[in-house]
Amino acid sequence: MKIITVTGAEAGQRLDKLLGRYLKEAPRSFLYKMMRKKNITLNGKKADGSEKVQAGDEVKVFLSDETYEKFAGRLEEKTVPYPVTRLQILYEDCHILLVNKPVGMLTQKAESGDVSLNEYLMGYLQQSGQWKEGDPIRPSVCNRLDRNTSGIVICGKSLAGLQTMSELLRDRSLHKYYQCLVHGRLTEGRRISGWLQKDPGSNKVRIFQEEQENAGRIETEYHPLQVYKDCTLLEVCLITGRSHQIRAHLASEGYPLIGDYKYGQKKINDCYRAAYGLTHQLLHACRLELPELTGPLEGLSGKTVTAELPVLMKKIIEAAGKDI
């Protein structure tokens, strides 16, 4: 007989889903049969699999050790070491982790040989004893930033964390704010809209004012924080969240991000490269505002998390202020 004690990371899921994770080689029909015959019980009582488990619940599995190990698929467990780097952690609890991603780091793998924040997350949790290969829940990043965009990335550690953050991102009740330095002077805030069409072959997008085939509706809101001689520091709120939206949308309005060679102006970017060694767009996910929450993530309800600007971005902004 085996006893599965539900952890906080596993809470909130259906019993049959939990059993499917622990006994991944067992047919679903077998698990339901074992529950009907009370060979699998929840807190000492008969269960049908639809019950939502909570932290501390006990699931008893009345199978021989040999049968249990067979259905668990534990012929030979191997520890896979994940890479470790120093992460700037802005917030962490048992459900989520918020990281200030630096420029140059991928959020997720683009190719099989890549090392991304997702792998560094696994390495951090593995090294700190919070997760191991074979655990029922696999932590993961919940949102993506371009390689050369810095700032806040949400990582889910528990099932509740992964599900809640994914839902908040999907229904847009979680508000993400960015700061960027654009070429040109903008003195008033605006909400702009359009249609974004992605070209996977070139990894670029195009912006249209009218609806186009295979294009998605976009909305971007921005407010000037500081207007300089020939550039403006903006705070941007993504109403929608599509690939390269801020970079391409502002460029289509005539205000390209400084340092952005994909959508910006090469002549201007070359000047900043020569003066500061800048090789990437000045775009930073600076603030996260969470809505009112209940349930496992209630401690995050209404919370605001901020990420400090990168050193080079601050240096260029300070220099722009001196040029006025």
Side-chain angles (χ1 to χ4, degrees):
M1 187 263 287
K2 297 284 186 181
I3 297 178
I4 300 170
T5 302
V6 179
T7 66
E10 297 166 335
Q13 62 185 304
R14 283 170 55 113
L15 174 60
D16 53 4
K17 297 289 187 183
L18 178 78
L19 290 169
R21 293 177 187 274
Y22 276 91
L23 301 170
K24 53 183 177 292
E25 302 298 328
R28 190 58 62 92
S29 58
F30 173 81
L31 297 177
Y32 289 129
K33 180 180 179 181
M34 291 299 97
M35 285 187 279
R36 286 198 303 271
K37 297 179 70 173
K38 293 187 71 174
N39 286 337
I40 297 177
T41 62
L42 176 61
N43 295 324
K45 298 179 181 179
K46 186 176 181 180
D48 63 17
S50 65
E51 298 83 359
K52 293 285 185 72
V53 297
Q54 302 301 322
D57 283 353
E58 282 193 348
V59 180
K60 292 183 178 179
V61 183
F62 295 91
L63 298 175
S64 68
D65 289 348
E66 183 181 355
T67 302
Y68 185 92
E69 296 301 316
K70 171 189 170 184
F71 285 136
R74 293 176 182 168
L75 297 177
E76 185 180 352
E77 288 192 353
K78 296 181 179 179
T79 300
V80 178
Y82 282 87
V84 175
T85 191
R86 185 173 183 179
L87 298 175
Q88 187 180 350
I89 297 172
L90 304 171
Y91 175 86
E92 183 177 9
D93 60 23
C94 63
H95 297 293
I96 73 162
L97 183 147
L98 303 179
V99 177
N100 186 9
K101 184 189 83 68
V103 166
M105 182 185 288
L106 286 167
T107 308
Q108 293 178 310
K109 284 185 177 185
E111 299 178 1
S112 59
D114 290 338
V115 177
S116 69
L117 175 57
N118 218 43
E119 284 68 57
Y120 290 130
L121 168 68
M122 301 294 215
Y124 165 74
L125 296 175
Q126 193 177 57
Q127 189 182 61
S128 59
Q130 299 183 62
W131 175 85
K132 64 181 182 298
E133 196 73 57
D135 281 356
I137 304 301
R138 192 174 186 83
S140 176
V141 298
C142 299
N143 66 306
R144 297 181 66 172
L145 294 178
D146 294 339
R147 181 198 288 265
N148 288 324
T149 297
S150 57
I152 303 174
V153 176
I154 306 164
C155 306
K157 295 167 57 177
S158 70
L159 182 68
L162 288 163
Q163 290 180 336
T164 302
M165 288 298 123
S166 295
E167 179 61 30
L168 295 180
L169 288 164
R170 191 163 46 247
D171 67 18
R172 300 172 189 161
S173 58
L174 182 155
H175 299 300
K176 296 178 292 180
Y177 293 88
Y178 297 74
Q179 286 188 21
C180 60
L181 193 66
V182 300
H183 180 68
R185 294 170 58 88
L186 286 164
T187 57
E188 295 182 354
R190 285 182 63 201
R191 179 183 284 208
I192 54 179
S193 60
W195 298 85
L196 182 148
Q197 184 183 74
K198 188 170 184 180
D199 178 6
S202 64
N203 192 30
K204 289 186 69 173
V205 303
R206 295 178 65 192
I207 305 296
F208 300 92
Q209 293 304 310
E210 303 294 333
E211 185 174 1
Q212 301 287 323
E213 186 178 0
N214 299 322
R217 177 76 172 171
I218 57 170
E219 286 190 76
T220 308
E221 186 174 309
Y222 63 79
H223 299 278
L225 297 177
Q226 189 66 54
V227 182
Y228 302 110
K229 182 179 179 180
D230 57 4
C231 59
T232 306
L233 178 64
L234 295 180
E235 179 176 86
V236 180
C237 178
L238 283 178
I239 310 304
T240 58
R242 298 188 183 275
S243 181
H244 298 185
Q245 179 176 324
I246 293 175
R247 299 164 60 188
H249 209 181
L250 288 172
S252 73
E253 295 284 313
Y255 302 101
L257 271 64
I258 289 173
D260 189 353
Y261 277 88
K262 183 164 285 190
Y263 300 103
Q265 298 180 16
K266 184 178 185 302
K267 184 177 179 180
I268 295 169
N269 294 334
D270 284 347
C271 292
Y272 280 88
R273 183 195 286 260
Y276 303 101
L278 181 67
T279 59
H280 60 272
Q281 67 270 6
L282 293 179
L283 178 62
H284 179 71
C286 63
R287 191 167 80 254
L288 204 64
E289 294 182 355
L290 290 113
E292 297 299 316
L293 298 170
T294 57
L297 274 68
E298 188 173 3
L300 280 166
S301 184
K303 192 174 184 68
T304 296
V305 178
T306 59
E308 188 177 5
L309 292 175
V311 172
L312 182 57
M313 188 170 177
K314 286 197 289 187
K315 180 180 179 181
I316 294 173
I317 290 170
E318 288 170 3
K322 292 175 183 177
D323 289 341
I324 296 178

